[in-house]
Structures are given as C-alpha cells and as structure tokens.
Amino acid sequence: MKFAIGAFVKGTVGAVGAAGLLAATPALADTTVIHVGSVLTDAGSAPTGPATITVTDGRIVSIVDGFTPTPEGAEMVHLADHTVLPGLIDLHTHLSGDPSGEFWRAATTPPEWNVLVAAKNARITALAGFTTVRDLGSRTDQVTQMLRRATAEGMVPGPRVVTSARTIAIVGGHGDVNGFRRGVGESLGTDFTCTGAVECAEMVRTASKYGADLIKITATGGVLSQQGRGLEAHFSDEEMKAIVDTANTLGLKVAAHAHGARGIEAAARAGVQTIEHGTFIDEQAARVMRENGTILVPTLMAFQGIKKNLGTGFYTPVVEEKIRATVTVAESIVQRARQWNVKMAFGTDAGVFPHGENAGEFTQMMVGGMNAREALASATTVAAEVIGLENEIGRLAPGYSADIIAVKGNPLADITVLEEVDWTMVRGRVIE
C-alpha cells in the first residue's frame, strides 16, 4: 500500500513525523520486466523462444515462457527481436590504460588522468557486453580499487571489477618501471618489486592490505616493457612459491603473466591459478599445468592488436623486436593448449588494444580449434569459476545477479554477433 507521507505531516511535529514514517516504510522493490525474443541461459543450453525475465533489486527472479504482463510500478524493457544471454567475463583487462607506444608518458601523466581513463573504459567495456572483468595491473595505486567500488555502487557505469591492483615484479623486470633515467624511474615508483622470498611474501601482504582481490605477478619477461631481458622466468622458484603460499594463506589466488615455456612451467609448479598469455607453451609446461590444475588465459587479441602497429614507429626498437618474436608463435597458443588438454578461460589483455573490442577474442579462439559453445563457456561459466563467482554470474537463472546482454542472432551459430551488443544490464542496472 502506498502512502503520501506529506498528507500525514501536521503542525510542529511535521519533520519528526515524516522522518519516522520514512524509517518505518520499507523501500519499494526495484523491478524490471524484460520481454525477449530468445534466451540462452548458459553456453550448454539451446536458445528458447519468446520469454519474460523478471529482475528485482539486481537479481533475476524468474524466467518464464512468453510475454507476461508488467506489474504496476515495474519498468518494462522490450527486446522481442533479440537473444539475451549471460553477461560476458574478461579475465584480463587493464581499464586504467589505453594503447600507447609512448612509454615516456608515464613521467608526464598524473594519476588523476588514469582514474578518468578507467571510468571511460569501464563504460565502453560494459557496453561491449562484458559485465565482469578481472583487471590485472593498474597504472596507479587505488585506481581500480576505487573503480570497483564506484561500479558496484552505480556511481560509474561499468562492469563488476575484480582487481589485482598493482603488479608484483622483480626489480628491473617486466612490470617494473623501465626506460627512464635512474632518478626518474625511482620517482615513478618501484614499490611493488621484490627480491628474495621474504620480500616477495611481504609484497603479497601489502597488496592484500590495500584491497587486491587476487595477486598478479610477471613470472617472465614481457613484450611491451622497455627491457630486453628475454621472455623466460624472472622470479626464482623460491620467490614464486613464497608468493603463492602467502597469497593462499590470505585467501587469494595468483595470476602469472608468462611467455616462455620454462617460466610457464615454473609458475604452474609454484601453484599459480592462471597463466596469462602462455605464448611458448610446450608439452612439458602443459603437463605441469594439468598436474596442478593451472588454467590458461591466452589473450589472443593482445597479439592481434600489437601486430597492427609493427613497422610504424609506434614502438621502440627493443619492444618491436620482442613483438616480432612472439606474434607468429601466438597464433597457435590455443591449438597447442587443446592438443595437450590444458583448460582455458577467456581473457583479452584489453588496454594493449582498444577497449570495447574484447569480443574479437571469440573468433581467435575458434581459429585455434574451439567450437562456439566452448568459446562462449570460456567467457561465462568457466570464467565465473576462475574468480569464484560461479553461483553469482556466468548463467541466467533465478537468484543470479542480473548481468544480461542482448544481441541480434544466435551466438552459437555465429559467434561474431557478440561483437555487436545492443543492450547491457549489470547488477540490474541498464548501461546507457
């Protein structure tokens, strides 16, 4: 029953009476009724016919066949010519940065700029159909932790954010500040580097202290940093084991950037949850990954993105050399991983290429031998398991978060329809 509070407010007790009524009256539920042409509840299902999805206070209440009437006070969304499916999950993004070969801009760009870039990219990413992201390495302290809060509270339109915040690296390695004079490099920050097992364990505790949801390490050299120390292991076995063991005591998983085969193997043996990139994965590394339950996140779009800028002067010579050493090999990452039965999940490294183009990863995965169901599962049910939210996201079902996207067509028949998302809802909020 609705009451006009003002009608009951009389005389000198009006303000007190209004406050009392506001406190005693429960807030009306926020309900959205969505009429859809077809529902794909998860990657293992078949699309249905017309249906009605009811969302209340950010959660799916029901999914029923046909178009049902919209209750009084509820909002209605009409998507009768669309297929809706679970919001997509990208396990490897960098929301606080955009593609750039100008590494020196780190010395001229204040952290406030990265906050604005992150907010911009959060909205772009959600509009592209990605309702949850794992952000693996922010440009400045606290930017993705604050973005996580802002998107959760609806202050900034964007996906659910799971973040490692800063990346833990060896001194002078990939993930540390490289390419500057000594004083400049030090002023830009080397506070998340470590040497030795004790220091590395401390870095994990520091990351946890400042709000990391997981730990990200650069287990090997990398492609886009201004250091030419190869692409094999950077951390010692003792350092990586200390990182993983310490993270586990704090309830955190570890994601390891890793290109070289022996570095991949060492990180998997140490117990990391995911290998990011996995460029030179071989049978021996794959065996250790299988034995330890390590999941590969191939980030194929990153390689496609950087390849476009070869020979243009976009990158410094040291970076260009590393790109040329990796891009051709990267084309067969998924094929090799499938051959050796390595489990894979979806991640793109968005930020290395333009945000919003994340769904191009699906086509790349299928070129490597995945079918459409496998590719879609990698970005929904499988990815949800990786971040421990399999009972919250990754499928459409009563009780799940209302993370829903709409496309024209059936993604199981044509995966490229996911590159043109027409409507996105995150936590029950429509992203405009």
Side-chain angles (χ1 to χ4, degrees), residues 298-361:
T299 67
L300 304 175
M301 279 295 288
F303 297 102
Q304 292 297 313
I306 60 179
K307 183 167 65 173
K308 293 177 182 178
N309 294 313
L310 280 173
T312 66
F314 190 80
Y315 301 113
T316 61
V318 67
V319 171
E320 181 122 348
E321 182 179 349
K322 290 186 287 182
I323 293 173
R324 293 187 185 280
T326 55
V327 289
T328 301
V329 179
E331 292 175 358
S332 63
I333 293 173
V334 169
Q335 181 181 355
R336 281 176 279 140
R338 285 175 60 82
Q339 176 184 348
W340 297 314
N341 297 314
V342 173
K343 186 174 182 178
M344 283 177 278
F346 188 101
T348 66
D349 212 356
V352 170
F353 65 95
H355 294 276
E357 298 179 7
N358 314 51
E361 187 84 10

Side-chain angles (χ1 to χ4, degrees), residues 17-43:
L21 283 167
L22 284 170
T25 305
L28 293 174
D30 182 8
T31 296
T32 302
V33 173
I34 311 166
H35 290 166
V36 303
S38 180
V39 181
L40 184 62
T41 57
D42 59 64

Side-chain angles (χ1 to χ4, degrees), residues 347-380:
T348 66
D349 212 356
V352 170
F353 65 95
H355 294 276
E357 298 179 7
N358 314 51
E361 187 84 10
F362 289 112
T363 298
Q364 298 300 316
M365 296 178 94
M366 291 181 66
V367 169
M370 281 191 175
N371 61 40
R373 286 192 187 278
E374 291 170 329
L376 182 58
S378 76
T380 51

Side-chain angles (χ1 to χ4, degrees), residues 41-339:
T41 57
D42 59 64
S45 301
T48 68
T52 300
I53 302 175
T54 301
V55 173
T56 299
D57 292 339
R59 294 200 171 271
I60 298 171
V61 174
S62 64
I63 304 173
V64 298
D65 293 340
F67 295 161
T68 64
T70 301
E72 181 181 355
E75 181 179 352
M76 198 273 280
V77 176
H78 197 61
L79 297 168
D81 57 349
H82 285 75
T83 297
V84 301
L85 63 151
L88 305 171
I89 304 166
D90 191 332
L91 294 175
H92 194 131
T93 66
H94 299 282
L95 292 175
S96 60
D98 285 324
S100 175
E102 299 172 330
F103 74 94
W104 51 266
R105 286 193 181 276
T108 63
T109 304
E112 290 81 1
W113 177 250
N114 297 114
V115 174
L116 297 174
V117 170
K120 168 188 73 80
N121 288 332
R123 177 177 174 274
I124 290 171
T125 299
L127 288 173
F130 289 83
T131 57
T132 297
V133 301
R134 196 175 59 154
D135 195 276
L136 297 184
S138 57
R139 296 293 180 93
T140 56
D141 284 335
Q142 295 296 311
V143 60
T144 47
Q145 295 96 310
M146 294 303 98
L147 184 67
R148 175 182 62 196
R149 177 180 173 182
T151 57
E153 295 181 4
M155 183 183 299
V156 171
R160 176 185 287 98
V161 177
V162 177
T163 181
S164 67
R166 299 292 293 278
T167 296
I168 299 175
I170 67 165
V171 177
H174 185 69
D176 192 10
V177 177
N178 286 274
F180 296 94
R181 290 175 53 193
R182 187 182 187 99
V184 175
E186 290 173 352
S187 70
L188 290 174
T190 57
D191 52 336
F192 272 84
T193 60
C194 58
T195 299
V198 174
E199 278 190 9
C200 290
E202 182 182 7
M203 285 300 99
V204 171
R205 293 181 176 128
T206 299
S208 176
K209 175 181 178 179
Y210 291 109
D213 297 309
L214 73 154
I215 301 300
K216 159 79 177 299
I217 65 170
T218 49
T220 75
V223 175
L224 296 183
S225 57
Q226 303 302 314
Q227 57 86 25
R229 301 293 181 264
L231 296 172
E232 274 296 352
H234 273 185
F235 287 94
S236 70
D237 289 348
E238 293 76 15
E239 288 167 338
M240 281 200 284
K241 190 70 165 60
I243 288 168
V244 173
D245 288 350
T246 304
N248 288 345
T249 65
L250 296 169
L252 303 177
K253 302 293 186 183
V254 179
H257 154 109
H259 288 289
R262 302 289 68 77
I264 296 169
E265 179 184 350
R269 187 180 298 110
V272 304
Q273 183 194 28
T274 60
I275 293 291
E276 312 296 312
H277 316 306
T279 312
F280 294 95
I281 185 173
D282 62 12
E283 188 170 7
Q284 182 176 324
R287 177 180 55 79
V288 177
M289 289 181 68
R290 289 196 311 273
E291 291 172 352
N292 288 275
T294 311
I295 299 164
L296 176 64
V297 181
T299 67
L300 304 175
M301 279 295 288
F303 297 102
Q304 292 297 313
I306 60 179
K307 183 167 65 173
K308 293 177 182 178
N309 294 313
L310 280 173
T312 66
F314 190 80
Y315 301 113
T316 61
V318 67
V319 171
E320 181 122 348
E321 182 179 349
K322 290 186 287 182
I323 293 173
R324 293 187 185 280
T326 55
V327 289
T328 301
V329 179
E331 292 175 358
S332 63
I333 293 173
V334 169
Q335 181 181 355
R336 281 176 279 140
R338 285 175 60 82
Q339 176 184 348

